[in-house]
Amino acid sequence: MRDSRKMIAYEELKSLIIDNGFCTLCGACEAACPIHAIKVEEAPRRIYDCSENLDLCPICYDICPHSDALIHEVAKFVSDALHRRESLGYYRRILLAQAASPAVRGATKSAGVVNALLSFAMEQKVADSAIIAKSSPHLILKLQPSISLIPDDALSAVDSKVMPCAVAEAFGRAVYEYGKTHIAFVGIPCQVLALRKLEAWQHKIVDSLRITIGLFCLWTFSLDRLLEYLFHEHGVAPSEIVSVDLTIDKYVIKTSDNQVLMIPLHEVKKHIMNSCRTCTDFTAEFADLSVGGGTSLKDWSLVIVRTRNGEELLEKAVKAGVIKVREIASEPEVLAHVIQMATSKKESALKDMEELRSKGLPIPMGAEVMAKPTLSELSRLEDIPVKAIMTREVLTLSSKATVADFFDEMAKHHHVGFPIKDEDDKVVGVVTLQDAMKVPPSERGSTPLESICSRNLITVSPEDSVAEAFEKMMRHNIGRLLVMDGKGQRLLGIITRSDIMNALRRIFQPG
Ligand code: SF4
Ligand code: SF4
């Protein structure tokens, strides 16, 4: 937590974020500094001492995506969406989409959706520029931020390449140097969070933000550490690398002399940025639209529509024939895969946080706040009964339904767990997506849910406090509890970690 006695936020940014190795080089602190005292290169540094010009400035710490400031406030940008799921955040709709043009589709990995949307937004004058990350012409692995000023420019590859990139700094430059007033911003989750924090802070540069498109992200590499590893362990010099690719378990590198290196993912993952180990956001939960490629469907990307703003742009692009969409309900396995990736990222982050905590090592404060309430926040939940925030209409499945039925219901309702009822309408267990994924696809149509459901029911009563419910979830390492009547006979509702975080956001959101 930032020490409020320190009036110059950079001191905190340096000691709590930069010196602990938590910076992911987004460049937001450079963009936000009112007197341009910060420069983000290999790491952010102060190019002159801002305390000589200012007595008080809280901004660079507050807007850093890894600080504990403004986390609850940013939810307001997406929280009017109808749905929220623990794994995916708030959303209005989930779709499959692709660029209508085969040429645009072929040029990128996310089925050309982001490029086509950016180009369309610029043609329609919704945006006058777009901030994206592109490969450096000198070093294929290095990303550099790019300010696209014409629609055609936005059609070239948007690259995430799992490398950091100072796109938020480029956003500031587009405003200050290019005078842009309608900017489309593309970034991975922590970069989108930085922009949303600037928005929550009411920084003047975000008056120019028109739309945020988030890219799915599991982690990014530390460029220096990865290059050093590739050189020392595999004899590959940075200039020899001509392409890189990620498969499910390999990092594939092609070199200028036609060598192909297939490095096990667990090896290269040792070189990811420190903050990524505790990052819980896979799908850019605060973006207007979140887009992720890598679905098992060739040429289609998953699009999560979170805000009215994002929905409008997508609808216009579909109407204009620039983007094609399909309902996700027709592809339950694709949605299951994305939910599983998002869930396992959150679980692994929570595990890593526990491990760091047990070793007395620092944890990015933003990740801690994002993952769970603090003790003081929990105390605010002690007076709220579970019945005040639980979901009363619980979808259940029959014990005789099959795993294939589970996937169909999941795709329809986007739930990742269902209580299971027997023929007497009694709750006998719970099936989660993880349980269902363990059944091989060929056996899903014939495997009844009663054979895979967990029968160890962990429940709360409607009169228990939300704080008690949360502690129970933490103790059993689960994301939801069934709410049963006093005798444990009747299912009255369900309470999830999302419900609790939502309740907290309502308490702490200004206004
Ligand atoms: S993560 Fe971004 S805002 Fe935070 S210190 Fe690094 S460059 Fe600055
Ligand atoms: S895993 Fe999280 S912290 Fe790491 S680059 Fe991706 S969004 Fe940023």
Side-chain angles (χ1 to χ4, degrees):
M1 176 80 71
R2 191 162 82 84
D3 182 347
S4 56
R5 286 164 306 171
K6 293 198 176 162
M7 295 298 173
I8 293 291
Y10 183 79
E11 308 299 341
E12 312 287 354
L13 186 75
K14 182 162 179 349
S15 63
L16 298 176
I17 308 287
I18 303 168
D19 291 351
N20 279 328
F22 296 148
C23 169
T24 43
L25 301 170
C26 71
C29 49
E30 180 173 337
C33 176
I35 55 168
H36 307 291
I38 301 177
K39 191 95 198 124
V40 176
E41 288 162 334
E42 285 81 32
R45 67 187 171 86
R46 205 158 46 169
I47 44 182
Y48 61 89
D49 185 352
C50 50
S51 64
E52 287 171 8
N53 300 61
L54 298 167
D55 294 331
L56 178 147
C57 179
I59 192 163
C60 61
Y61 178 84
D62 283 0
I63 57 79
C64 174
H66 307 296
S67 81
D68 55 352
L70 301 174
I71 298 281
H72 294 306
E73 285 84 342
V74 295
K76 72 176 176 209
F77 298 111
V78 288
S79 60
D80 66 338
L82 213 54
H83 313 284
R84 178 176 158 84
R85 295 287 173 269
E86 180 71 19
S87 52
L88 306 175
Y90 290 97
Y91 65 92
R92 288 163 179 257
R93 297 168 70 192
I94 301 180
L95 296 160
L96 288 165
Q98 64 174 194
S101 153
V104 177
R105 276 205 308 273
T108 70
K109 285 186 184 156
S110 61
V113 174
V114 177
N115 307 71
L117 280 173
L118 292 178
S119 169
F120 177 73
M122 286 164 81
E123 270 166 16
Q124 297 296 308
K125 313 276 184 238
V126 174
D128 59 13
S129 52
I131 308 297
I132 55 180
K134 284 186 172 178
S135 270
S136 154
H138 311 294
L139 178 57
I140 189 96
L141 275 183
K142 189 176 163 72
L143 288 183
Q144 57 189 32
S146 165
I147 305 171
S148 294
L149 300 173
I150 50 169
D152 278 0
D153 199 14
L155 284 175
S156 63
V158 172
D159 224 326
S160 84
K161 220 169 239 119
V162 288
M163 286 293 169
C165 184
V167 277
E169 176 276 323
F171 180 88
R173 210 156 17 96
V175 177
Y176 290 127
E177 291 178 20
Y178 292 74
K180 294 297 162 193
T181 54
H182 289 63
I183 305 175
F185 178 85
V186 181
I188 53 176
C190 56
Q191 297 161 351
V192 170
L193 177 59
L195 262 280
R196 289 302 198 198
K197 283 190 167 194
L198 281 162
E199 218 173 342
W201 214 93
Q202 299 182 337
H203 195 291
K204 65 179 188 304
I205 58 173
V206 283
D207 291 347
S208 300
L209 180 64
R210 285 298 167 270
I211 188 138
T212 54
I213 301 181
L215 305 173
F216 294 180
C217 176
L218 273 179
W219 29 263
T220 58
F221 289 115
S222 156
L223 180 63
D224 290 346
R225 274 168 33 209
L226 182 71
L227 289 179
E228 205 179 301
Y229 160 80
L230 291 175
F231 186 67
H232 288 296
E233 297 297 320
H234 298 277
V236 177
S239 58
E240 291 173 308
I241 300 169
V242 291
S243 77
V244 288
D245 203 359
L246 271 178
T247 68
I248 196 133
D249 59 352
K250 297 274 188 311
Y251 190 56
V252 185
I253 294 194
K254 290 192 184 139
T255 63
S256 47
D257 58 357
N258 289 327
Q259 259 195 75
V260 179
L261 253 81
M262 311 265 274
I263 307 172
L265 219 46
H266 63 86
E267 272 302 312
V268 282
K269 268 184 76 179
K270 291 176 189 156
H271 309 291
I272 65 175
M273 308 283 276
N274 292 346
S275 280
C276 302
R277 297 184 194 284
T278 51
C279 172
T280 50
D281 187 354
F282 173 58
T283 59
E285 294 180 17
F286 302 105
D288 290 302
L289 293 168
S290 299
V291 182
T295 71
S296 49
L297 291 176
K298 199 172 166 321
D299 278 352
W300 290 89
S301 264
L302 194 95
V303 176
I304 304 177
V305 183
R306 301 189 190 275
T307 65
R308 184 67 201 122
N309 192 24
E311 196 167 38
E312 265 173 26
L313 178 64
L314 186 66
E315 278 170 0
K316 281 184 191 158
V318 171
K319 213 165 155 200
V322 170
I323 296 275
K324 288 187 196 164
V325 291
R326 280 170 64 187
E327 288 304 321
I328 189 65
S330 62
E331 297 292 344
E333 303 269 342
V334 172
L335 181 62
H337 177 70
V338 171
I339 290 176
Q340 203 194 23
M341 301 269 285
T343 306
S344 59
K345 178 169 176 178
K346 283 183 199 292
E347 285 172 356
S348 145
L350 293 176
K351 219 167 105 201
D352 276 23
M353 277 186 234
E354 265 324 306
E355 198 182 317
L356 290 170
R357 206 172 288 121
S358 70
K359 291 181 180 163
L361 294 170
I363 300 169
M365 288 73 57
E368 280 209 278
V369 176
M370 197 81 87
K372 62 178 198 183
T374 62
L375 283 179
S376 73
E377 286 166 346
L378 265 184
S379 69
R380 302 279 297 268
L381 299 174
E382 269 163 14
D383 300 330
I384 304 176
V386 164
K387 66 181 176 194
I389 66 164
M390 70 184 188
T391 302
R392 287 167 194 275
E393 278 163 33
V394 186
L395 289 168
T396 60
L397 294 178
S398 153
S399 56
K400 302 291 175 209
T402 64
V403 174
D405 296 330
F406 173 95
F407 278 103
D408 286 344
E409 291 305 307
M410 188 215 68
K412 248 187 257 159
H413 305 289
H414 309 162
H415 288 312
V416 292
F418 290 89
I420 304 301
K421 282 185 168 177
D422 66 9
E423 283 132 340
D424 300 326
D425 209 33
K426 192 167 166 244
V427 178
V428 291
V430 172
V431 171
T432 64
L433 178 59
Q434 277 102 324
D435 303 325
M437 291 294 266
K438 286 182 198 148
V439 180
S442 59
E443 294 168 24
R444 289 176 185 169
S446 57
T447 306
L449 295 178
E450 64 189 358
S451 68
I452 63 160
C453 72
S454 153
R455 290 178 187 268
N456 179 21
L457 293 180
I458 300 168
T459 65
V460 278
S461 113
E463 308 303 333
D464 288 343
S465 77
V466 173
E468 280 174 275
F470 182 77
E471 274 158 20
K472 207 173 235 187
M473 284 180 197
M474 295 306 285
R475 207 164 49 247
H476 294 278
N477 195 20
I478 49 177
R480 66 190 67 76
L481 294 169
L482 301 183
V483 185
M484 307 288 278
D485 66 5
K487 296 181 188 132
Q489 293 293 313
R490 213 156 51 87
L491 179 64
L492 301 176
I494 197 162
I495 180 168
T496 65
R497 204 160 20 195
S498 291
D499 295 327
I500 298 177
M501 296 310 278
N502 281 348
L504 268 179
R505 285 183 176 126
R506 280 196 297 274
I507 293 171
F508 286 96
Q509 252 174 40

